[in-house]
Amino acid sequence: MSTVSTIDDAATRGRRMGRMLTERPVIVLSAALLVLYVVTGIQDPSLFTAQGIRSTLLLACPLAIMAAAQTVCMLTGGIDLSSAMIANFAAYISANNAGAGPLQSLGFAFLVGAVVGLINGVGVGVFKVNPLIMTLGMSSVLVGVVTVGIVGDGFLSGSSRLLPFVKTVGSGNLFGPIPLNATVLLLVSVALLYGLRRTGLGRNIYAVGDNEPAVRLAGSRVWQVLIAVYVIAGILAALAGLMFSGISGSVGPDQTNSYLLPAIAAAVIGGTSILGGTGGFAGTIVGALILTVLNRLLLGFETSEAVRQIIYGIIVLALAWVYVRLTGQRAD
Amino acid sequence: MTLPLLTATDVAKSYGPVVALRSANLIVEPGQAHALLGANGAGKSTFVKILTGVIGAGHGAVLMNGEEVRFSSPEQARRGGIASVYQDPALLPDLTLRQNLKLTRTPLDEVEKALEQMGLAGLDLNELVRDVSLPFLRMIDLARALAHRPRLLVLDEITAALPTDLAATVFEVMRRQTDSGGSVLFISHRLEEVVTYCDMCTVFRDGKDVAAFVPREGGENRIVQAMLGDAANLVREGGRRSVQDLTAVAPRLRVEHVAAGRELVDVSFDVRPGEVVGVVALEGQGQDILFEALAGDRRFSSGEVLVDGERLVARHPAAAIDRGMVLVPADRATALLPQRSIEENLALTLYRRGRSWGPIPGRAVRTKVQNAIDRMSIDTRAAAQARRLSGGNQQKLTIGRWLTAGFKTLLLFDPTRGIDIGTKHQIYDLIREEADNGAAVLMYTSELREIALVADRVVVLYRGRIVAELPAAADEEELLSAAHGMVPNPADLEVGR
């Protein structure tokens, strides 16, 4: 008898936990972040200093922006695997045009994001290419474009010195332990949280991910929604590229590639369903923070980078699995 | 005394609160062609699925030759001696017929032998499935079932889309099966086939068997009466009609000679504002295509649709919606946002245009949504996710969506399928209210009694054309007969085929 009731209790607890996670993901995730932060801090006490908090935030902000690009795509049931290459390309273009003033430098960077996003959106929305294939293909096209651009007298072979504004915003300090790039994240957060929840486009984005035929029957044009989504994702990726280059102080053809999977993972851990229809940006931000702290924790282990990568990957997979188990968000 | 080949006793099945089969009893003797009859939703398909192991029974027992059997897959059922041919042939379109047969481990030489017997030896098994027309695919499916040498051959609506010569082949197969001591369970909406070719019939109604008799003795009329039961005499006081004389009013929706593929051939009718026109049809007579094409979800191949006298060419549902014509589809799943809230479900169409993509006018939307919630009396206790709502409440959302958006012509495809009686009446009331306020309503229903409750007029669709136009006061027997193609002058039907 007692064993039965224990199993029942565990089951109800799991279900309650699942519901809590579904309805209030940010609270649960914030608690997890706090625990992880303290555990990591015990191992590496510098984390409790102002410098420690600052370095965590500095790295988490651009990751959260790149994860924002994934979040909007994933809400429609898509994904953007080209966002790392968009980020690299945009950062390069910006540095190339740094001499021509901030307007042209930043304008070109965002234009790259918007145009690549537009092509992605047309592919996914109009020609019904699977988003995974479309953006992966786009990513490898961009590798080629950037490579051609930087060799010899290519169109990206100009100056690779950053725009001072990008460097300042990317690595400067606001006050106390808060880096200046947190203001960028704040602006993006406000825009996304409002945009997804309180605009017609936002409602359409969720609806497309939840049930595409229903959106069509309700009279919305799904392809228009998808184009808008991939353009937004492209612009966000370009922004993330600028911020990453601001931290490192340089540009590189593969500078942000290692952040692509963490960005997707941040969105998943943050409660956005990879199948679309549920989630949001608030969870993604916490997800990005969790992954940044987790990285820090692993850095403390005295082991090779390869082993660290393996552990990191396993933890991310486990988190995603637990999440999906608890919230029961499966294709049903 | 010989044992019956098949004895089903008190077989029942429910899906959650929805009862699909209440209590079914059926006895098939060896050497018998046995017809299984019933109106849509009477439980025939569920019963067949249980029999052939597609789904498990919730209750009851099935005996073959006196021994209880319980199949958990169609393959097990085939080994147990029951092979079936379904309405939709289960074949992979991108493989050849031969590859498909191999995939299901069907003995090829047996299939070829069966085809030869059916006079179809010329059929090339190396053709891709998608290049073979549906009638021939059904024949292949039939040959496949025969290859297993079943004791009981189950034919579920096999003749529904067959030309006369192939249908004759099917009857020949049935005769050979019964002559050799096997049995056939035959499901068809074509009553004349049942009377001519079946030795016995069992009629299902509301998930129960209500009669078993020799069809030749009872005739088509007795079958129709058994299918309807007391419903034929059901009190009609709930029914409300439009009181005004609408004949002088210009039609809101005029459909002229529309056609779509082979499923819809030359359909014309019109609907006036303030009027509810019922569409009566058996399953698969083209009604789904008619509704989808009217709503702009697919296209007619010819003919014209006029809304308020002006031509409508809808390449997308948005075009129809902009002209005030909206669809509540058959399957709630195609209209619902399961993971989103009640409010988002109800307000979805408000954001269909690019210019409504900006900030949501919160107060105005809330008013409209609340109005829909009140008028539909939607239970908002589980407001966070539509998938947690009951079926009836989900259906209210798909109808309520158009109340928030506003409409002039309402297309309802079986709007009360699978929901409880209380909700059904709320929906009837709403339909009448909307019509009285000037909406034109076109409603297909699989439940004949709904016609008397809400419709002003009925059009009957049979094999893709309108075969009769009747007053809603027509009794159900008349409706059902017309739906089976039994119109005063059936020769008219053959024109143009």
Side-chain angles (χ1 to χ4, degrees):
Chain A
M1 277 313 279
S2 62
T3 22
V4 174
S5 70
T6 323
I7 291 167
D8 273 4
D9 282 354
T12 16
R13 216 178 303 135
R15 226 173 296 136
R16 210 178 308 139
M17 180 92 173
R19 183 161 305 173
M20 181 88 173
L21 208 51
T22 317
E23 280 160 20
R24 299 255 169 278
V26 179
I27 295 174
V28 180
L29 287 168
S30 302
L33 172 64
L34 204 66
V35 172
L36 184 68
Y37 201 88
V38 170
V39 169
T40 311
I42 290 168
Q43 191 211 38
D44 175 9
S46 73
L47 209 57
F48 293 134
T49 65
Q51 190 53 38
I53 295 171
R54 185 188 127 81
S55 68
T56 304
L57 286 176
L58 190 71
L59 282 170
C61 287
L63 180 64
I65 305 268
M66 194 176 282
Q70 303 305 329
T71 304
V72 286
C73 292
M74 278 166 56
L75 286 176
T76 65
I79 199 161
D80 188 355
L81 297 181
S82 64
S83 51
M85 277 315 296
I86 294 176
N88 301 336
F89 194 2
Y92 244 104
I93 283 266
S94 164
N96 265 213
N97 292 284
L103 196 67
Q104 186 176 334
S105 168
L106 296 178
F108 273 22
F110 289 122
L111 191 67
V112 162
V115 169
V116 176
L118 179 69
I119 300 171
N120 278 336
V122 169
V124 174
V126 179
F127 296 104
K128 314 274 177 220
V129 184
N130 181 300
L132 217 64
I133 308 293
M134 182 68 218
T135 58
L136 188 61
M138 178 54 72
S139 177
S140 80
V141 168
L142 291 180
V143 169
V145 170
V146 171
T147 310
V148 168
I150 55 179
V151 292
D153 286 338
F155 67 98
L156 289 177
S157 57
S159 151
S160 61
R161 286 188 48 191
L162 296 189
L163 188 73
F165 178 71
V166 170
K167 198 166 166 55
T168 315
V169 175
S171 55
N173 219 14
L174 187 62
F175 59 83
I178 311 292
L180 201 50
N181 68 4
T183 55
V184 179
L185 178 62
L186 186 72
L187 291 176
V188 169
S189 306
V190 170
L192 274 185
L193 290 174
Y194 178 84
L196 287 173
R197 219 171 289 170
R198 297 259 169 263
T199 67
L201 176 60
R203 294 294 176 88
N204 274 308
I205 289 174
Y206 279 103
V208 165
D210 201 11
N211 190 354
E212 210 179 291
V215 178
R216 184 180 146 82
L217 275 182
S220 293
R221 261 115 176 153
V222 174
W223 61 273
Q224 292 176 348
V225 177
L226 288 172
I227 287 178
V229 160
Y230 284 89
V231 168
I232 292 170
I235 292 171
L236 287 169
L239 179 60
L242 293 174
M243 290 167 76
F244 277 121
S245 72
I247 294 173
S248 69
S250 64
V251 292
D254 57 357
Q255 187 171 44
T256 66
N257 287 13
S258 62
Y259 294 102
L260 178 61
L261 286 179
I264 295 168
V268 171
I269 291 168
T272 299
S273 164
I274 197 121
L275 301 167
T278 52
F281 188 52
T284 303
I285 299 174
V286 187
L289 283 163
I290 288 179
L291 288 180
T292 309
V293 177
L294 183 64
N295 211 17
R296 178 85 175 233
L297 177 70
L298 292 181
L299 278 176
F301 293 158
E302 284 174 28
T303 174
S304 71
E305 178 59 25
V307 173
R308 248 180 243 132
Q309 283 281 337
I310 292 171
I311 299 173
Y312 184 79
I314 289 173
I315 292 176
V316 168
L317 279 178
L319 278 175
W321 180 74
V322 166
Y323 199 96
V324 172
R325 286 281 307 189
L326 283 178
T327 55
Q329 49 166 245
R330 256 164 292 177
D332 57 2
Chain B
M1 201 189 107
T2 55
L3 280 169
L5 174 70
L6 180 90
T7 314
T9 322
D10 196 18
V11 177
K13 176 82 185 176
S14 316
Y15 297 97
V18 182
V19 181
L21 198 59
R22 215 167 290 276
S23 165
N25 299 281
L26 182 93
I27 296 175
V28 181
E29 302 290 345
Q32 190 180 57
H34 195 117
L36 177 55
L37 300 159
N40 295 338
K44 291 169 304 193
S45 297
T46 309
F47 180 74
V48 168
K49 282 184 190 159
I50 290 171
L51 208 60
T52 53
V54 177
I55 54 176
H59 188 260
V62 177
L63 281 73
M64 282 191 78
N65 292 329
E67 275 177 47
E68 180 162 358
V69 289
R70 197 169 274 264
F71 304 123
S72 52
S73 73
E75 197 180 345
Q76 259 189 30
R78 275 199 293 274
R79 265 183 270 140
I82 300 183
S84 54
V85 181
Y86 296 105
Q87 271 172 283
D88 305 302
L91 298 163
L92 300 175
D94 289 325
L95 296 181
T96 65
L97 293 169
R98 192 182 301 278
Q99 286 166 332
N100 265 288
L101 292 170
K102 270 192 192 148
L103 207 62
T104 48
R105 272 168 287 161
T106 318
L108 269 173
D109 42 336
E110 293 284 333
V111 173
E112 278 168 348
K113 212 184 289 174
L115 281 174
E116 204 169 318
Q117 275 198 335
M118 289 155 65
L120 296 170
L123 213 61
D124 184 6
L125 290 183
N126 292 319
E127 266 196 88
L128 286 182
V129 165
R130 61 163 145 193
D131 296 334
V132 182
S133 70
L134 189 66
F136 281 104
L137 288 182
R138 289 206 174 152
M139 289 294 134
I140 294 284
D141 225 20
L142 177 59
R144 176 161 75 173
L146 289 172
H148 295 283
R149 301 188 173 281
R151 281 180 287 167
L152 179 66
L153 178 65
V154 181
L155 303 177
D156 189 354
E157 299 263 0
I158 185 171
T159 54
L162 289 188
T164 333
D165 53 331
L166 288 181
T169 308
V170 172
F171 302 132
E172 179 58 27
V173 166
M174 287 168 63
R175 194 189 52 73
R176 259 202 304 276
Q177 168 83 359
T178 50
D179 283 356
S180 63
S183 309
V184 178
L185 188 62
F186 183 71
I187 297 165
S188 172
H189 279 305
R190 299 191 184 168
L191 302 186
E192 73 273 14
E193 296 173 352
V194 171
V195 171
T196 318
Y197 300 104
C198 293
D199 311 311
M200 189 70 192
C201 73
T202 298
V203 180
F204 278 15
R205 189 174 69 233
D206 294 334
K208 277 193 281 218
D209 58 299
V210 289
F213 52 89
V214 178
R216 240 179 307 270
E217 288 166 12
E220 295 183 22
N221 287 337
R222 175 155 180 209
I223 296 176
V224 169
Q225 254 161 21
M227 282 162 73
L228 287 175
D230 294 337
N233 314 318
L234 203 70
V235 270
R236 291 244 172 95
E237 56 188 7
R240 286 200 287 139
R241 298 274 145 62
S242 172
V243 279
Q244 307 116 296
D245 180 21
L246 293 166
T247 41
V249 182
R252 164 77 43 72
L253 170 67
R254 167 159 253 163
V255 178
E256 288 184 341
H257 306 293
V258 297
R262 288 163 61 183
E263 287 90 352
L264 214 57
V265 220
D266 190 23
V267 171
S268 303
F269 62 91
D270 47 38
V271 188
R272 300 183 192 89
E275 190 181 39
V276 179
V277 174
V279 175
V280 167
L282 302 171
E283 224 139 295
Q285 307 299 317
Q287 63 269 44
D288 43 349
I289 291 159
L290 174 67
F291 275 72
E292 282 168 19
L294 282 174
D297 201 22
R298 61 189 296 159
R299 298 179 69 177
F300 290 118
S301 50
S302 64
E304 278 200 342
V305 176
L306 302 166
V307 177
D308 290 321
E310 274 176 58
R311 194 159 177 222
L312 167 68
V313 182
R315 288 160 213 274
H316 188 281
I321 294 167
D322 287 345
R323 299 282 290 277
M325 185 150 69
V326 304
L327 169 73
V328 174
D331 187 359
R332 288 193 280 279
T334 59
L336 209 66
L337 304 177
Q339 302 180 90
R340 307 312 302 168
S341 69
I342 287 178
E343 192 254 308
E344 287 183 58
N345 268 282
L346 288 173
L348 181 61
T349 30
L350 300 179
Y351 317 120
R352 67 179 186 276
R353 293 195 188 93
R355 69 178 114 96
S356 57
W357 279 9
I360 293 171
R363 187 170 303 176
V365 169
R366 263 197 304 279
T367 314
K368 284 181 185 166
V369 165
Q370 192 56 48
N371 173 46
I373 289 175
D374 292 344
R375 287 207 49 204
M376 302 290 309
S377 21
I378 295 168
D379 182 353
T380 54
R381 276 173 300 177
Q385 286 197 320
R387 63 176 174 157
R388 301 203 193 283
L389 298 175
S390 70
N393 266 307
Q394 289 182 351
Q395 182 67 351
K396 286 177 178 178
L397 288 188
T398 66
I399 300 174
R401 172 174 301 162
W402 300 118
L403 293 178
T404 57
F407 60 86
K408 284 153 85 183
T409 310
L410 182 59
L411 308 169
L412 296 165
F413 196 99
D414 222 357
T416 62
R417 181 190 287 181
I419 58 183
D420 65 275
I421 188 77
T423 309
K424 277 182 183 176
H425 279 278
Q426 283 179 356
I427 291 177
Y428 302 149
D429 289 345
L430 182 96
I431 294 170
R432 281 305 341 170
E433 262 171 57
E434 286 301 318
D436 292 345
N437 292 334
V441 182
L442 183 70
M443 176 174 94
Y444 163 74
T445 173
S446 57
E447 267 188 69
L448 286 180
R449 65 195 71 167
E450 291 189 343
I451 293 296
L453 291 173
V454 287
D456 295 311
R457 195 153 60 85
V458 187
V459 292
V460 181
L461 201 62
Y462 180 69
R463 297 210 212 167
R465 55 181 81 223
I466 303 252
V467 293
E469 189 172 328
L470 302 165
D475 57 21
E476 291 182 22
E477 211 172 309
E478 202 177 336
L479 290 175
L480 200 60
S481 302
H484 282 95
M486 291 150 59
V487 284
N489 188 1
D492 293 348
L493 269 180
E494 301 304 318
V495 177
R497 275 200 72 211

